[in-house]
Amino acid sequence: MTTYTAPVKDTQFILQEMLNVQAMDIPGYDELDADFTKAVLEEAGKVAAEVLHPLNKVGDAQGCSLENGVVRTPEGFKAAYETMCEGGWTALDADPAYGGQGMPVVMNLATGEYFSSANMAFQMYSGLTHGAMSAIHAHGSDAQKETYLPNMAAGTWTGTMNLTEPQCGTDLGLIRTKAEPQEDGTYRITGQKIWISAGEHDMSDNIIHLVLARIPGGPEGIKGISLFIVPKFLVNEDGSLGERNSLSCGGLEEKMGIHGNATCVMNYDGATGFLIGEMHKGMRAMFTMMNEARLLVGMQGFAQASVAYQNALGFAQDRLQGRDVTGTKNPNGPADPIIVHPDVRRNLLDQKSFVEGARAFALWGATVIDRAHRNGDAEADGLISLLTPVLKGFLTDKGFDTTVLAQQTLGGSGFTQEWGLEQFVRDARIAMIYEGTNGVQSLDLVARKLPMNGGKPIMGFFELVKAHLKANEENAALKADFLEPLKAASKDLQAAGMFFMAEGMKNPNAALSGSYDFMHLFGHVCLGLMWSKMAIAAQAAIDAGASDREFYEAKLATGRYYMKRQLPATALHLARIQSGAEPVMTLEAANF
């Protein structure tokens, strides 16, 4: 049986020392003092550890069941969901005008990590609702907001996103679901959607589906798609629930992981739908939800890595096997704990340095979102748009790799269900696939985000790194171990960008063949930047005589490991990118 303890101290270090959130010029951040954030994080950690994590194995073992059109969630899920709603965790950063608590996005992401680490499948129900709320809030009419958002914020109603159909996933221009206009201004929605997470369940009174569909007579392809609100139960004028809509769950998917979440085939048989946003502009509205979802999926990636690392570390500290080659460390026992062995320590430091760097990257990214939304900062909006595929793709790829490393730490025990590590591996795997596969993320990054706005966002990122290096160039204690490696990695990223500019126009395959490596190169530079920032904060605390010196020294040692053992991967990725399209495209399709 696995355990989970929320990393409150580490999150506090990032928020209060690395980011110094209270001093940021962002509305609402002045309230994020250390006592407040610690209280919120500790309470979230308590719910995660005591309520959600004990249900993680239950959800995996029991899964969901479909009985006469009703989906039953695993034992204990409904009561746990009620606890989440009562605590206000379902709408931490939602608009207070509709019942939310109005906290910054950075706090929702920080607590969301804990809930996802504790029970990823469970947290998906709330996460999808949050995304649907965001789409309605951004694109819905005032009447739609008043009708749906208060109940969704309270958690009494949940939400979904319905995109994929049997014949189309990434290419949404192939959607066939129809939306036929009615005289009363509503639409009749007919079609089938697949892989709909939380599409049907027994934890809320109503489920508000956001459904992409095509209005007859509209443009072909992606330009002819509209977005509709299709509630499970229609809502009466007084806000009460009316008759059941003409939609149903046609089946549950049998999946590799996240068994506790109901992944449904949804059938719409002339269901009543309400247009959200403009006709034929559905993708614009849905991308509000999709982009948020991609950031939260990135969080899922390192959240599963975090809980897996915790359990691997505990095992390595307790498991006795062999003797330290430099001398016995446990003379009173039959063997030394495996953490004394260099390769086990290498494995654990790969995990630790990724998890802590990824946490900093995600929380820093959340502050960029807050700056974009709360300050109306166009530059910040461009930056987070650029970084979204990196946050999603890199953090989920490396997050999955980290769960495998954690499983490996346990040896044969990691392969058994009894110890629980194999569930983290299975659950983490989906994060590399849904909300746009990581291959698609890399293509989006290179083909759309790099040239966006004339390249201003990527140039802004380079300037950000350059300014960081310039501001700390006199820091002799950290220059060799942190600043110089970051500078070298940043130059690799710039060289890759220059290669795409030089080769991409005359041979697009040259850029696309290197897109996945570019996403990882970019991710490593981002984590290198985060570790440099954390090192500066840790060194400052030591210089100021911090009482918990061991914590800060451990932070520096972990950061040095990343900069020496992980960040040099940028050179490998650059070499692959500069090899161009020829190694990838030469082999004829028939000869694979």
Side-chain angles (χ1 to χ4, degrees):
M1 186 70 175
T2 58
T3 61
Y4 177 67
T5 302
V8 173
K9 188 171 185 176
D10 195 64
T11 308
Q12 277 285 89
F13 166 72
I14 295 168
L15 293 176
Q16 300 298 334
E17 298 180 69
M18 186 197 105
L19 294 171
N20 193 13
V21 287
Q22 197 174 12
M24 285 186 166
D25 184 24
I26 301 175
Y29 271 46
D30 58 329
E31 299 177 6
L32 301 182
D33 62 77
D35 289 341
F36 176 77
T37 58
K38 183 179 180 182
V40 173
L41 295 172
E42 286 182 340
E43 186 60 30
K46 182 178 179 180
V47 172
E50 298 179 7
V51 178
L52 302 188
H53 193 63
L55 296 175
N56 196 44
K57 189 171 184 178
V58 174
D60 186 57
Q62 292 185 5
C64 298
S65 60
L66 177 62
E67 304 170 2
N68 299 319
V70 177
V71 173
R72 305 294 183 190
T73 51
E75 183 179 345
F77 268 44
K78 188 170 184 179
Y81 183 71
E82 290 172 356
T83 298
M84 293 286 287
C85 293
E86 291 167 1
W89 300 110
T90 55
L92 203 67
D93 63 342
D95 189 342
Y98 302 103
Q101 297 193 47
M103 291 188 195
V105 168
V106 71
M107 291 304 297
N108 187 63
L109 189 129
T111 56
E113 178 205 333
Y114 299 174
F115 301 144
S116 188
S117 284
N119 195 326
M120 178 174 163
F122 176 91
Q123 178 59 11
M124 289 171 63
Y125 292 96
S126 296
L128 288 157
T129 302
H130 189 283
M133 289 173 61
S134 296
I136 294 172
H137 190 274
H139 302 281
S141 66
D142 289 342
Q144 288 172 338
K145 294 176 190 178
E146 293 290 346
T147 298
Y148 300 105
L149 293 183
N151 279 297
M152 295 174 78
T156 52
W157 298 355
T158 54
T160 72
M161 57 192 300
N162 283 234
L163 286 74
T164 306
E165 298 181 6
Q167 78 286 351
C168 69
T170 301
D171 190 356
L172 292 172
L174 300 177
I175 279 177
R176 296 174 185 164
T177 299
K178 292 182 180 179
E180 298 176 315
Q182 304 298 298
E183 291 184 0
D184 61 0
T186 64
Y187 293 78
R188 289 176 61 86
I189 311 298
T190 303
Q192 185 180 80
K193 299 290 184 176
I194 63 171
W195 305 339
I196 307 307
S197 300
E200 173 62 37
H201 57 83
D202 58 359
M203 298 199 302
S204 63
D205 297 334
N206 202 3
I207 302 174
I208 311 305
H209 300 286
L210 296 192
V211 182
L212 286 180
R214 190 180 299 281
I215 298 172
E220 293 295 322
I222 203 77
K223 295 181 179 179
I225 294 175
S226 301
L227 182 64
F228 299 87
I229 296 173
V230 188
K232 175 180 175 180
F233 290 97
L234 297 174
V235 183
N236 297 322
E237 289 187 8
D238 63 0
S240 62
L241 296 183
E243 64 182 23
R244 172 74 182 250
N245 210 346
S246 300
L247 58 90
S248 62
C249 173
L252 292 176
E253 302 290 352
E254 297 291 337
K255 309 179 300 262
M256 175 179 174
I258 55 169
H259 295 160
N261 194 270
T263 305
C264 304
V265 175
M266 296 300 300
N267 296 320
Y268 294 89
D269 301 307
T272 299
F274 306 88
L275 180 68
I276 178 172
E278 299 179 50
M279 186 183 300
H280 310 316
K281 302 293 185 182
M283 289 306 299
R284 180 186 300 174
M286 182 56 82
F287 264 113
T288 296
M289 187 174 186
M290 287 176 66
N291 284 333
E292 176 181 307
R294 286 170 178 172
L295 294 167
L296 294 179
V297 170
M299 176 268 286
Q300 288 179 337
F302 79 82
Q304 288 301 287
S306 176
V307 65
Y309 164 67
Q310 283 189 21
N311 285 272
L313 175 61
F315 184 91
Q317 290 171 330
D318 294 338
R319 178 70 165 173
L320 303 182
Q321 292 282 287
R323 290 294 189 185
D324 188 333
V325 296
T326 63
T328 298
K329 295 296 187 292
N330 181 32
N332 296 323
D336 290 333
I338 63 172
I339 199 170
V340 305
H341 304 308
D343 191 61
V344 173
R345 295 170 69 86
R346 184 270 315 162
N347 187 329
L348 291 170
L349 278 167
D350 279 351
Q351 297 172 51
K352 179 178 172 65
S353 64
F354 166 72
V355 168
E356 294 180 14
R359 180 176 296 120
F361 181 28
L363 291 173
W364 174 73
T367 67
V368 178
I369 296 173
D370 280 326
R371 188 177 297 281
H373 293 174
R374 292 178 173 241
N375 292 42
D377 188 327
E379 184 176 331
D381 190 60
L383 179 59
I384 196 59
S385 182
L386 170 72
L387 293 174
T388 292
V390 183
L391 283 157
K392 195 279 186 186
F394 182 72
L395 295 189
T396 58
D397 272 356
K398 301 299 288 186
F400 173 75
D401 290 348
T402 301
T403 63
V404 174
L405 289 173
Q407 183 186 37
Q408 186 73 15
T409 309
L410 273 69
S413 297
F415 198 67
T416 65
Q417 292 184 352
E418 177 186 358
W419 287 85
L421 268 291
E422 56 87 34
Q423 183 187 345
F424 300 138
V425 174
R426 289 186 288 105
D427 286 352
R429 185 65 183 88
I430 185 58
M432 302 163 70
I433 298 173
Y434 61 14
E435 305 308 337
T437 65
N438 288 354
V440 171
Q441 300 304 316
S442 71
L443 296 178
D444 176 54
L445 174 63
V446 169
R448 295 183 64 248
K449 300 301 174 61
L450 283 186
M452 182 174 58
N453 297 331
K456 288 182 179 179
I458 186 63
M459 295 307 297
F461 178 81
F462 289 139
E463 286 301 315
L464 187 152
V465 174
K466 183 178 178 181
H468 171 78
L469 294 171
K470 179 71 174 176
N472 297 283
E473 62 184 355
E474 301 302 323
N475 192 332
L478 301 178
K479 186 173 183 179
D481 289 342
F482 290 92
L483 302 176
E484 290 298 334
L486 174 60
K487 184 177 181 179
S490 179
K491 286 184 176 180
D492 286 343
L493 185 64
Q494 292 180 58
M498 293 298 293
F499 176 83
F500 290 153
M501 289 178 62
E503 301 293 328
M505 291 298 292
K506 56 186 179 183
N507 182 8
N509 281 338
L512 299 182
S513 296
S515 62
Y516 213 94
D517 280 286
F518 186 81
M519 181 177 72
H520 275 249
L521 198 169
F522 204 158
H524 278 298
V525 172
C526 288
L527 260 64
L529 176 61
M530 294 304 111
W531 271 116
S532 181
K533 288 177 176 289
M534 285 191 284
I536 290 166
Q539 188 64 57
I542 291 172
D543 293 344
S547 58
D548 192 0
R549 187 182 180 94
E550 285 188 358
F551 173 83
Y552 297 105
E553 289 180 340
K555 191 65 67 177
L556 287 169
T558 306
R560 289 190 181 98
Y561 179 89
Y562 190 88
M563 305 305 271
K564 291 179 183 294
R565 298 283 299 231
Q566 295 294 324
L567 193 58
T570 60
L572 170 63
H573 290 300
L574 176 60
R576 289 174 174 170
I577 290 167
Q578 291 178 333
S579 72
E582 191 272 337
V584 176
M585 302 304 296
T586 298
L587 187 63
E588 295 293 335
N591 294 329
F592 272 81

